[in-house]
Amino acid sequence: MTDTANGFHLRAGRAGSGPYALDIDPRSAGWGYSSLRVLELEPGGSHAWETGESEWIVLPLSGGCTVEAEGATLRLHGRESVFAAVSDFAYVPREAQVTLSSAAGGRFALTGARCERRLPVRYGAAEDVPVELRGSGQCSRQVNNFAAAHVFEADRLIAVEVLTPGGNWSSYPPHKHDEAREGVESELEEIYYYEIAPHGATDGVGYQRVSPSGHGRGTDVLAEVRGGDAVLIPDGWHGPSMAAPGHAMYYLNVMAGPGVDRAWHICDHPDHAWIRGTWAETPVDPRLPLYEAKDSAASHASSSEEARAGAREGETKR
């Protein structure tokens, strides 16, 4: 499945299986909880799967789709690309049969986590996604907290999107979450999935660093990442994620772990934690936000209402 010496950097086109362009699960990753699949559908295409022991969120990367599960029909408007808008999304529980179909085709991320509780099917509206500007100056980035621990209910799954303008560093200062320390640090496996904005016909690149923390596998990665790549982070200090000048970087973070409390507590690298203290003195990069949830909602309001209506219809059928 992997093509690098340490197995943590998964290159686009070399980590897929069956219908999935990218297919990461606990077995292939060698860990306990986190999963990510990327599904590409042609116009009129559909895909059915059983959720098994995991809860899942269907997140459009490009295009829209319909998600059917547990008698509910959720219509997702989606978006043109991850650099264009916040997307709506759908949550489906463990032990369910799901069908995803798309009239116009598209690319869809299926973010998953092994879990115990079986929660109901739900629709997540784009306008309800908190868009956070984190850091400042060359550490500025945008975080779409669609399934952050404090935003959207799930049993184990935590997922967010991060957009970094060209030339900036995100995931900085380097931080880790590979030990369980109540209220201080969570134990979470993490997947980074990347898309890089092109400049004309030139594809972009970015760079990802993960350094050993003294725990777990001693994860050590310095990777040039391109669109469709992923990096597995079972442990270690992760960051920076570097966007090459002229090419905005997107990454989708998928996290889950063994903790009873679903929380994202991190520990900054002691050599670099001081950088947070400078942010109040430096303006946020004026290129941010790339977009806001309310802008997406304004143009997609009718589709959001259709999705809610579909969800309500499904609720009456269960």
Side-chain angles (χ1 to χ4, degrees):
M1 172 174 159
T2 64
D3 69 331
T4 59
N6 60 23
F8 298 115
H9 178 202
L10 314 181
R11 295 189 185 277
R14 303 184 188 181
S17 67
Y20 304 116
L22 176 68
D23 189 4
I24 300 167
D25 62 18
R27 177 197 57 80
S28 63
W31 56 31
Y33 298 92
S34 300
S35 296
L36 175 63
R37 296 168 175 167
V38 175
L39 176 69
E40 299 177 352
L41 290 181
E42 296 293 329
S46 66
H47 173 66
W49 85 97
E50 295 182 358
T51 59
E53 298 178 335
S54 295
E55 59 187 347
W56 298 84
I57 285 178
V58 178
L59 176 72
L61 300 172
S62 64
C65 66
T66 297
V67 178
E68 299 175 82
E70 302 282 282
T73 299
L74 308 182
R75 297 178 180 88
L76 305 185
H77 184 279
R79 53 190 166 184
E80 181 180 352
S81 80
V82 297
F83 298 104
V86 176
S87 181
D88 49 2
F89 59 94
Y91 174 94
V92 293
R94 58 172 287 162
E95 299 169 355
Q97 179 74 32
V98 183
T99 300
L100 190 159
S101 57
S102 178
R107 298 174 58 255
F108 308 96
L110 312 180
T111 67
R114 278 183 178 161
C115 65
E116 287 73 45
R117 288 192 299 153
R118 194 170 190 272
L119 300 174
V121 175
R122 277 165 294 143
Y123 171 76
E127 61 263 35
D128 293 336
V129 174
V131 173
E132 173 191 358
L133 300 187
R134 188 177 297 169
S136 69
Q138 290 180 302
C139 293
S140 301
R141 60 271 202 183
Q142 172 178 334
V143 185
N144 299 338
N145 286 301
F146 71 96
H150 62 288
V151 170
F152 186 84
E153 185 184 12
D155 187 34
R156 301 275 183 177
L157 178 62
I158 299 172
V160 301
E161 301 179 299
V162 181
L163 295 117
T164 307
N168 285 8
W169 284 20
S170 61
S171 264
Y172 199 79
H175 59 279
K176 75 181 186 76
H177 39 71
D178 56 16
E179 295 181 88
R181 297 186 292 158
E182 186 174 357
V184 176
E185 184 177 352
S186 307
E187 184 180 352
L188 296 167
E189 310 153 350
E190 186 162 15
I191 302 167
Y192 275 54
Y193 166 76
Y194 307 86
E195 297 201 0
I196 312 293
H199 180 75
T202 303
D203 291 335
V205 299
Y207 297 87
Q208 178 69 51
R209 179 69 173 124
V210 186
S211 55
S213 66
H215 298 276
R217 306 185 198 180
T219 305
D220 194 348
V221 177
L222 177 56
E224 180 179 282
V225 293
R226 297 175 180 269
D229 285 10
V231 169
L232 305 179
I233 305 176
D235 51 70
W237 304 105
H238 38 291
S241 302
M242 296 168 273
H247 299 275
M249 169 190 279
Y250 164 96
Y251 53 86
L252 171 62
N253 288 147
V254 181
M255 293 169 275
V260 175
D261 294 327
R262 176 174 169 258
W264 184 67
H265 295 305
I266 65 169
C267 176
D268 286 339
H269 194 296
D271 291 347
H272 306 288
W274 63 268
I275 195 69
R276 288 190 189 271
T278 69
W279 290 349
E281 306 165 4
T282 309
V284 172
D285 190 314
R287 293 174 290 179
L288 292 175
L290 297 185
Y291 48 76
E292 298 186 53
K294 65 180 179 64
D295 297 329
S296 300
S299 59
H300 307 332
S302 61
S303 294
S304 294
E305 182 53 38
E306 286 178 7
R308 288 195 184 89
R312 289 194 295 269
E313 178 185 353
E315 289 290 340
T316 64
K317 293 179 180 177
R318 288 205 298 277

